[in-house]
């Protein structure tokens, strides 16, 4: 994990990474971890494991939905390695 990545992912850290990688025109990152307490992948802290991302970006233009999602996953790979367990992605137009 890189020096700037927190040990437990936060909504702000994910937002910063997505902003740097995809220059979004709209972005909302919601930590939904508390709603998944006791589920697979929960860390017992109530945050940092389950997120929803709503994003619009010029980087998505002309790309399939799968390719758009791949760009988001690629931008957040360090967080997956740090405990991000579930990611719901809503591509906005």
């Amino acid at each position: 994990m890189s020096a700037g990545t927190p040990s437990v992912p936060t909504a702000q850290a994910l937002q910063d990474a997505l902003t740097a990688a995809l220059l979004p025109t709209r972005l909302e990152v919601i930590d939904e971890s508390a709603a998944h307490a006791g589920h697979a992948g929960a860390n017992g802290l109530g945050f940092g494991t389950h997120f929803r991302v709503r994003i619009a970006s010029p980087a998505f233009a002309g790309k399939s939905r799968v390719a758009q999602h791949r760009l988001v996953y690629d931008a957040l790979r360090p967080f997956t390695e740090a405990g991000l367990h579930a990611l719901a992605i809503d591509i906005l137009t």
Side-chain angles (χ1 to χ4, degrees), residues 15 18-27 54-58 60:
Q15 184 170 323
L18 290 167
T19 297
L22 300 175
L23 302 171
T25 55
R26 292 177 57 196
L27 177 60
R54 295 181 177 127
I55 185 169
S57 171
F60 300 151

Side-chain angles (χ1 to χ4, degrees), residues 11-81:
Q12 184 62 56
L14 271 65
Q15 184 170 323
D16 292 347
L18 290 167
T19 297
L22 300 175
L23 302 171
T25 55
R26 292 177 57 196
L27 177 60
E28 183 179 9
V29 179
I30 304 159
D31 189 338
E32 298 179 337
S33 302
H36 298 275
H39 295 178
N43 60 11
L45 299 174
F47 68 94
T49 59
H50 295 71
F51 290 88
R52 176 171 302 278
V53 170
R54 295 181 177 127
I55 185 169
S57 171
F60 300 151
K63 292 187 172 47
S64 70
R65 184 163 300 275
V66 170
Q68 293 169 346
H69 283 223
R70 177 56 48 209
L71 288 172
V72 173
Y73 283 117
D74 288 348
L76 298 180
R77 185 176 319 278
F79 300 99
T80 302
E81 296 166 359

